[in-house]
Every structure is written in structure tokens, then in C-alpha cells.
Amino acid sequence: MKIKFKRSKEINKIPSADDLEYGEVAINYSSGEGNALLLTKKADNTIAMFSENAHWDKKLNKINVMVDEYPTPERIIIIDFYTDEEIPTRKDENNPILAHGRVVLNVNGYLIEKFATIEVQGKSSASKPKKNFTFAFYNDAEYTDSYKFRLAGMVAHSEYVYKANYIDATHARNIACNRLWEQIIYAHENPPYRGNEGVLSIDNGALCHVDGYPCVVNINDEFYGIGDFNIGKKRDNYNLSKSNQNHIQLQAEPRASFETYVASQWEIRNPKSPDSSFETKLNLWFNDNAKSGEAFKTNFPTHHNVQNAIDYFLFAEFCYLDDILDNNVQLTTWNGSEYFMLPYDLDTCFGLKWDGTMVYAADTLGTVVNTTLGGSVSSGLTSKSFWTKFVNAYHKEISAQYMNLKNLGIFSIKNIAKIFSELQRPFGSYYDKEYAKWTNSPSKTITSYIQVIEWVKKRIEWMDDVYGRILPTGIKI
């Protein structure tokens, strides 16, 4: 069927059957450019919805039809939230504190206008002056009919996270590290670990880590701040079923032991209602971690994915992500036996301290080993025994993978510079508005694009020494 578009001169007109011929689509728009409601005449002579997510580009006289799916942002996402209610300033896990209203999301000129709620997001970040927010999208004013949509090919969500990046004045660290992780897991001949198996082995957009895009948030037409518009830790993004007892995911709380399961140190994220086999399956991982000597390496592949563990450690070491070695790690299995460590909350990186008040030197401290390899382990790590045994057992494999990632250009100054540039450029002059409003941002005088690049340069020199020269000889830490 060849579709012809027919535009009414009368705004907001709903066409009758007499207005259209079969195969014609009526465009009914509320503004000169933006979202358009498309209606069509069916073969039974009735009028039906064709799409409510069309976009009319007046300049090009072109209509793009988007069915709850929006393209990769090519410029900054603009989020306008309108509410008559007080904006939440704290988080309550037991009694969510929400502001109800409506939101207009502008992605490359495509407008998503929906009802929405916002809630303070995060744990330690919730105490900061500038808040992260969870945006929940709805089709109705009663906030009961959730609206899911896909962005940039990622799995569809009805909730997205505005990451305010209060401690990171570059506003790039968190997403930059997530994109670096994506490169690392694709640096193997076998497919990346996504949890889809057998006939379900399709790329459905689930990343098993966060991704997002630069955005600006306005509340009631007043500038709130810049940041990132991110997907979060929802089950769909990890290919997890809440009722599948083999789909297990835990998040480490600060500071979790890796050798003994202590329930208070781990948040159970999946399954929704664990059965009696839950701790038995978990202890497969913890018991192997508690072994020592030759038994540690002999048993390690039984309940760990070795490739994942090596990638995860090198990722943490290269970026100095000490906050993911016994905190924030998403411990995940899709079969109840083989566990993967997946990263989350990555803004404490490239030397930036957790509160944004200082930058650690790139060439004097590792997450587990120091420059001299004199047995030094980061003193704050509860999991230091596990990671020390791991590095001693797999030092040759770790060193080989480091050199592989370096030779592929993944661990390189050029790659990090490109990632940061792509994430920072869309903000443009919004940086000035951000710094003018959030004058107490802790890192704005100590970090920048150049600081990150200079830090990475020194970090590579340090890792060349440790993982390219010293560890391959078999020296134990």
C-alpha cells in the first residue's frame, strides 16, 4: 500500500471517514514542528491511530515515524519537567518521596511528552546538594500506565536516571568508563557476556551495564543542571527474569567480603523471591573464593568466568576503580553456577576520590598492587585476600590481556581522549551555567579533560611497568 500524507489546515482536527481515502494518513499536529498524531483510514471505513510518535520536520517537509523508539542522540538531550509539587530533596527506601508532573524530552528534535514522577536516586550521592533523579514515565494522569521506550537501541525502559555528576566536574567519567568496559568485553573472539543463551542468544539491547547521553534538566522552566540521561540497574538490562531461580544478581555493599557470604553486605536484586536453593548456589562462589594455594586456581573456573574476572580486574586497575572491588559490583549468574562480576557506579575513577575533593596520583598506587609489588594491598579493601590470591594465580593471563588491550588501542590515550571528547562536546556553553549555579562542585578546580588525559598517560606508564614487565616474571604480591 502506498501511503499518502494529508495535512489538515485545522489544528487538532480529528478526520472523519469522508476526509480520507483508503491509504491516506492524516497528520494532526499541535505546533509548527514537533510531535505529530497520525491517523489513517482502514479498509472497513473507520479511522484508527497510525502513530502517536511521529515527528514533522517543517524545514525538510518530512515526517519521521517513531514507534516508541528514539535514535541515538546527536546533541544534548533537553529534559523539561513541570510540577506543582515540591521537588524531593531526600530518598526514602520504604516510603518513596515523589514529585508528580509532566515531562517533555527532546531527543534530536523528537519530543516525548508524558506524565512523569521524579524521585531522588542513589545512596551516598543522595546526600549531595545536587541530586540524581529517577524519571518514571506514564501515559496517564493517574500514574498507573507505565510508558516504555527505547533510546539509542538500548532495551526499552519506563524509568531512566538523571545522573547529576555532582562530584565530577567533567560530567563524563561515569559513562566514559561504561563505554570503555563495552570495548573491553568486545575485545574477545567469543561474544560478550549478556546472559542470553541458546535460542535466546540475540542482541536485544540489554548491555548488562549502564549507558547514557549528555543532558540538561530544567524544572518549571528553571535550569537545574547538566548531567547524563542513563539506563539503570533494571532486570531487563541484564536479561534477568524475576521468577527464574537461576537468575541471581547481588550488589555488594561497602565493604563486602568475597570469601564468606554475609547477607547484610549484599543487596539481593534477583530473583524477586529467592527459594531455599538460593544460598546454596551463592556459596558455590564464596566457598571457591575462600580456598588458598593451588586449590584456589584449580577451583576458580568452576564457578567464575575467568575471562570476565580478568577483564574486570584490569578495568578496575586501569581506571583506578577501587570502589568496585568490594562495593557496587553486580555479581550475576544466569545458570546458578557460573558467576560474572559486572561494574556499576563508575564516577570514582581516573584518580578522582569518592567525594571529588582530590585526585590520586596515577603512577604510585594500584587497586591491589603498588609500584614496588612489596606485598602492599589497598588497606581499605575487605576483599583484599581474594584479589591478592587472584592476581597471584593469574598474573600471566592478566599481563597478557593487558598487553592485548593496549595493542588493540583500548588502553590508550587516544581512545580515552576520544570517549571524553564525545561526551563533553554536547554540553558546550551549558558548562558555564552549571558552574555558575553549583558553585561548590568539589572537583571543578582539580579535574578537567586535560587532567584526565595526563593521568591516563602516567597510568599507562605505570601499568606497562607492573603488568608488562614485573608480573609476567612470576613475582608474587
Side-chain angles (χ1 to χ4, degrees):
M1 177 178 72
K2 185 176 181 180
I3 295 176
K4 296 180 179 179
F5 286 99
K6 191 171 186 178
R7 189 171 74 232
S8 170
K9 292 182 179 179
E10 182 182 344
I11 294 177
N12 292 329
K13 178 182 179 182
I14 302 298
S16 68
D18 294 332
D19 292 325
L20 298 175
E21 297 295 330
Y22 175 60
E24 285 186 332
V25 173
I27 177 171
N28 181 281
Y29 55 92
S30 59
S31 63
E33 183 172 352
N35 273 18
L37 181 70
L38 300 185
L39 300 117
T40 188
K41 182 174 180 176
K42 296 167 63 178
D44 63 358
N45 206 39
T46 61
I47 298 297
M49 178 81 70
F50 183 86
S51 172
E52 63 175 336
N53 285 319
H55 175 78
W56 176 41
D57 189 322
K58 184 177 181 181
K59 183 177 180 181
L60 298 178
N61 195 28
K62 182 176 70 173
I63 296 175
N64 299 310
V65 179
M66 309 298 296
V67 184
D68 302 326
E69 183 165 352
Y70 300 89
T72 300
E74 297 174 355
R75 50 188 184 266
I76 195 166
I77 296 173
I78 300 174
I79 304 168
D80 288 293
F81 182 69
Y82 300 93
T83 183
D84 295 327
E85 300 175 5
E86 185 177 348
I87 301 301
T89 58
R90 63 184 180 89
K91 184 175 182 178
D92 189 324
E93 296 285 358
N94 299 317
N95 299 291
I97 303 171
L98 306 174
H100 301 75
R102 62 184 181 89
V103 66
V104 180
L105 203 68
N106 187 328
V107 182
N108 294 347
Y110 296 101
L111 301 182
I112 308 171
E113 185 169 0
K114 293 290 175 181
F115 295 98
T117 63
I118 62 170
E119 178 186 11
V120 173
Q121 185 272 345
K123 294 182 179 179
S124 62
S125 61
S127 64
K128 302 292 190 274
K130 186 187 177 192
K131 309 299 182 183
N132 301 335
F133 291 121
T134 296
F135 281 83
F137 293 78
Y138 296 91
N139 289 311
D140 61 324
E142 290 71 40
Y143 305 93
T144 58
D145 181 17
S146 294
Y147 172 68
K148 275 191 173 184
F149 63 95
R150 285 167 61 96
L151 178 66
M154 298 184 289
V155 70
H157 286 74
S158 61
E159 293 184 3
Y160 287 79
V161 173
Y162 163 62
K163 179 79 168 176
N165 298 322
Y166 181 71
I167 70 162
D168 175 28
T170 71
H171 286 269
R173 276 177 161 83
N174 183 50
I175 297 303
C177 283
N178 276 285
R179 294 192 180 173
L180 179 64
W181 174 250
E182 180 78 356
Q183 293 177 351
I184 290 171
I185 62 177
Y186 265 103
H188 299 276
E189 292 184 0
N190 51 313
Y193 15 92
R194 305 288 202 202
N196 33 8
E197 302 170 333
V199 294
L200 297 178
S201 296
I202 58 173
D203 188 347
N204 61 357
L207 296 176
C208 299
H209 65 84
V210 169
D211 198 7
Y213 293 87
C215 73
V216 56
V217 171
N218 304 307
I219 298 178
N220 292 330
D221 292 323
E222 181 179 339
F223 174 79
Y224 182 79
I226 62 175
D228 300 309
F229 188 68
N230 298 346
I231 53 172
K233 293 182 293 183
K234 299 300 183 181
R235 291 183 177 95
D236 288 350
N237 192 41
Y238 291 87
N239 281 317
L240 294 169
S241 168
K242 65 182 179 182
S243 61
N244 190 325
Q245 295 297 321
N246 285 328
H247 284 193
I248 296 172
Q249 185 177 73
L250 279 73
Q251 176 173 315
E253 304 285 358
R255 299 283 181 180
S257 169
F258 279 20
E259 297 181 340
T260 304
Y261 176 58
V262 180
S264 62
Q265 296 178 350
W266 297 84
E267 176 193 351
I268 300 173
R269 299 192 57 78
N270 209 71
K272 183 177 181 180
S273 301
D275 65 14
S276 58
S277 69
F278 178 74
E279 287 200 23
T280 300
K281 293 171 183 174
L282 270 186
N283 282 324
L284 296 174
W285 190 77
F286 285 94
N287 291 342
D288 282 352
N289 293 349
K291 290 178 170 60
S292 58
E294 292 297 323
F296 179 85
K297 187 169 185 179
T298 300
N299 287 277
F300 194 86
T302 308
H303 300 297
H304 292 77
N305 182 284
V306 177
Q307 173 184 301
N308 162 255
I310 291 172
D311 286 344
Y312 192 86
F313 174 76
L314 280 172
F315 174 60
E317 187 76 318
F318 179 77
C319 302
Y320 192 60
L321 287 158
D322 68 330
D323 201 34
I324 69 169
L325 292 179
D326 59 3
N327 183 30
N328 291 315
V329 57
Q330 308 295 300
L331 182 63
T332 306
T333 177
W334 291 275
N335 62 12
S337 178
E338 183 184 28
Y339 285 84
F340 295 79
M341 291 178 280
L342 306 174
Y344 180 74
D345 198 2
L346 306 179
D347 50 1
T348 304
C349 64
F350 301 120
L352 191 65
K353 188 181 177 182
W354 66 270
D355 61 0
T357 58
M358 68 174 291
V359 174
Y360 295 111
D363 54 357
T364 59
L365 185 65
T367 55
V368 172
V369 301
N370 70 357
T371 306
T372 62
L373 293 178
S376 175
V377 179
S378 295
S379 59
L381 288 178
T382 307
S383 62
K384 65 182 180 181
S385 172
F386 166 80
W387 287 112
T388 301
K389 290 185 292 185
F390 173 72
V391 174
N392 284 335
Y394 285 97
H395 58 90
K396 291 184 179 179
E397 294 89 341
I398 292 170
S399 295
Q401 177 64 349
Y402 168 68
M403 294 307 299
N404 178 47
L405 293 171
K406 183 183 177 184
N407 291 335
L408 288 171
I410 294 173
F411 283 172
S412 69
I413 299 170
K414 181 178 180 180
N415 186 43
I416 303 303
K418 183 175 184 294
I419 295 173
F420 263 75
S421 180
E422 289 174 348
L423 292 170
Q424 288 192 301
R425 193 171 297 158
F427 290 119
S429 61
Y430 279 114
Y431 274 119
D432 296 333
K433 296 185 72 172
E434 174 76 10
Y435 299 152
K437 177 166 184 175
W438 300 103
T439 56
N440 292 324
S441 175
S443 66
K444 69 178 183 179
T445 61
I446 61 174
T447 189
S448 64
Y449 173 83
I450 296 300
Q451 176 272 315
V452 171
I453 302 309
E454 289 297 321
W455 192 94
V456 169
K457 179 181 179 181
K458 292 180 180 178
R459 192 62 168 179
I460 291 173
E461 293 172 354
W462 181 85
M463 292 193 71
D464 282 348
D465 188 47
V466 174
Y467 295 99
R469 183 180 66 84
I470 301 175
L471 273 186
T473 65
I475 293 177
K476 303 294 184 180
I477 63 171

